[in-house]
Amino acid sequence: MRRCFNGAAHGTKPTAQGTQAMYERENFRQYLERLRAKGQLLDLREPVDSRHIATLVDQSDKALMFHHVLGYGMPVVSGLIRSSERMAIGMGVERYGDIEHLLTRALASPIEPKYVETSRVRELTRIGDEVDLFDLPVPMSSVLDGGPVITAGVTIVRDGQGALNAGIYRFILKERNLTGIDIVTPNNLRALAWRAYEEQRPLPISISIGTHPFEFMASGYRAPMGVDEIAIAGGLRGAPVELAMCETIDVPHIADAEIVLEAEILPTGWTWPEGRFGEFTWLMGALHWNPLVRVKAIAQRRDAIYYNLHMPWEVAWLMIPTRWSQLRSALKAAGIQVKDINVTLGGIGAWHTVISIKKSAGEGKNALLAALSVSDIKHAVVVDDDIDVYNPLEVEWAIATRVQGDRDVFVIPGARTKPLDPSLPVMPAGVVPTGAKVGVDATIPENIPRERYERISYAYADSVKLGSYKLDPGVVRSGGRRPQQGEVAQLAERILAMIGDKPLYYAQVIDAFPQAPLQAITRAFGELHAEEKLWQDSEGRMCVRGSKFAAKPPAR
């Protein structure tokens, strides 16, 4: 149950060399074939109305490929990374948790892209007046959406520092060759678009639809300006990503994509109404104000497949590994020994984290400060390494038994936050909102006796098993009779000698006499107590009354 929630333990490393050898040249279609082979992609060949696609995907436990979409000559595939298992298949690792190691390697060793002269995506190209976005089978999604939205395009832009910035944005269809672009949230593309708007010039972008999860993962990673996210995708692949140049703008696109839109963000500013949208928060967003995008050309394969990213779950499974990487980097810089990190689905894969650490004094608070420095993290809980961060029952138990609110919970007000947080007050358009971040230190407090935190463990749990339980016949015979008084008296003497040398828990004494019936042992203890020879030490172990081990009653 534990690993079904959020993937494998991070301590298991992926077979990185195997990933490079097997998948470094894999394209979108080969990924689809692997999903089919593993029973994770279902082909639907009966006619389907595009308005029903999102609902059908939501009801399915597999990715769906719709081969006959009414009114369109192009199949639609959706739900490709809508589970941890399908995300792991796409990244070429055995378990979802292994993606973090792959991303860490890619960030440490990015591989620059390779430019090619030709690509299959240019088999059909429409330019200028021939552009018709309404020919694409872009489905509706949420019932309150403001129109069909392109959701799965890898958007590439030059960042002015020699690097290629890549991201995933939504483009709502407006006209045959016009869309909006949802860049309300502060990010690198918004900054570049704002600069172009101030200079009253269009900003060229390419939009590659139908790309491999390697490129998708890198595009979802929030790298600083000047860091080439296509090179990060190369690091994930273990080989350069192949790019080709657009025909109408000076920006490259992913060469093996299914469809490419060559476009410009127009210098209209954030003045056009757009949406609403179904957000990664599982909620409907408000009306946004965004720039317009002019599509100058559409290139595609002759038999192109349209990929529709299904909200919100495909976004959640995509975001979680990037948050793992950012959190681990921040915690490492703070000198924290991390055991495990869970970025929870309940926290929409972005805002909540539970972190287990091997703690030294004061490091619970230090770990929280490091975690909350990661931009999207809103609420962080830090626990000791005996807590399973993937088990919400254990995490809640740690909060219940280890936290004092006035000591272990703190609030950081005025931090930059996501505009999509519905709990924020309504802000004027263009104002970057701020909000509160909350840290909960659910580690065992310093200067608390450790015996307060010794967990219940049942006697003989390592040897007594329900499915194979059977007593030795000799034990059955000896345990089925009432012990004789002489036998009890002799046992009491032996117990007294044992606990005179070293205090023992009651169960340890029982273990020392495996052939004695439990009733004989309890009667022996009863005699010692009646003779006022029995006592306990400060940890509850049995000892001799008046010995150096005997606990002293509290002062009155």
Side-chain angles (χ1 to χ4, degrees), residues 138 179 234 260 374 493:
V138 185
T179 76
V260 170
V374 174
E493 290 182 10

Side-chain angles (χ1 to χ4, degrees), residues 177-234:
N177 64 351
L178 195 71
T179 76
I181 179 171
D182 189 33
I183 44 176
V184 171
T185 300
N187 56 43
N188 290 345
L189 181 59
R190 180 187 170 95
L192 294 169
W194 181 261
R195 187 184 308 161
Y197 165 68
E198 289 184 318
E199 296 171 1
Q200 280 299 290
R201 59 176 174 80
L203 181 67
I205 59 173
S206 70
I207 306 157
S208 300
I209 303 169
T211 62
H212 195 278
F214 287 136
E215 284 75 59
F216 228 61
M217 169 65 71
S219 300
Y221 184 82
R222 184 178 294 177
M225 192 79 80
V227 174
D228 195 320
E229 280 139 337
I230 299 299
I232 294 173

Side-chain angles (χ1 to χ4, degrees), residues 47 174 181 200 234 310 313 351 392 457-458 486 513 521:
K174 294 182 180 293
I181 179 171
Q200 280 299 290
H310 191 270
W313 294 113
W351 289 348
S457 57
Y458 293 101
F513 301 99
I521 297 173

Side-chain angles (χ1 to χ4, degrees), residues 389-464:
V389 298
Y390 291 96
N391 186 330
L393 182 66
E394 285 205 18
V395 174
E396 185 179 0
W397 175 75
I399 294 171
T401 60
R402 303 180 183 187
V403 171
Q404 289 295 312
D406 59 344
R407 178 193 65 205
D408 299 316
V409 179
F410 61 84
V411 178
I412 302 173
R416 196 184 81 177
T417 189
K418 281 272 193 183
L420 294 177
D421 186 343
S423 67
L424 293 170
V426 177
M427 303 293 291
V431 175
V432 177
T434 60
K437 295 194 172 200
V438 179
V440 179
D441 183 357
T443 59
I444 294 175
E446 285 82 16
N447 304 316
I448 297 292
R450 298 299 294 187
E451 59 265 24
R452 288 192 182 184
Y453 288 100
E454 286 182 298
R455 297 202 197 192
I456 295 170
S457 57
Y458 293 101
Y460 309 105
D462 57 342
S463 58
V464 176

Side-chain angles (χ1 to χ4, degrees), residues 306-423:
Y306 183 82
Y307 173 34
N308 184 67
L309 182 76
H310 191 270
M311 295 289 287
W313 294 113
E314 287 198 77
V315 175
W317 291 118
L318 182 70
M319 288 193 300
I320 286 169
T322 67
R323 302 304 184 268
W324 283 338
S325 178
Q326 292 166 331
L327 284 163
R328 200 172 295 275
S329 177
L331 290 159
K332 182 179 180 181
I336 305 296
Q337 293 187 66
V338 177
K339 180 186 177 187
D340 219 340
I341 299 173
N342 180 14
V343 178
T344 69
L345 278 180
I348 56 180
W351 289 348
H352 286 182
T353 184
V354 183
I355 302 162
S356 58
I357 67 171
K358 298 179 180 179
K359 177 189 171 185
S360 297
E363 286 190 335
K365 305 296 189 297
N366 285 7
L368 286 170
L369 291 170
L372 293 172
S373 72
V374 174
S375 59
D376 283 352
I377 298 300
K378 179 180 176 183
H379 300 145
V381 178
V382 171
V383 296
D384 294 289
D385 59 0
D386 66 318
I387 300 296
D388 180 356
V389 298
Y390 291 96
N391 186 330
L393 182 66
E394 285 205 18
V395 174
E396 185 179 0
W397 175 75
I399 294 171
T401 60
R402 303 180 183 187
V403 171
Q404 289 295 312
D406 59 344
R407 178 193 65 205
D408 299 316
V409 179
F410 61 84
V411 178
I412 302 173
R416 196 184 81 177
T417 189
K418 281 272 193 183
L420 294 177
D421 186 343
S423 67

Side-chain angles (χ1 to χ4, degrees), residues 112-113 115 155-167 188 192 206 223-224 226-232 243 245 250-253:
E112 294 298 318
Y115 284 83
T155 301
I156 298 176
V157 62
R158 296 189 187 278
D159 71 0
Q161 299 183 28
L164 296 175
N165 178 269
N188 290 345
L192 294 169
S206 70
V227 174
D228 195 320
E229 280 139 337
I230 299 299
I232 294 173
L243 300 179
M245 291 303 299
D250 184 27
V251 175
H253 61 81

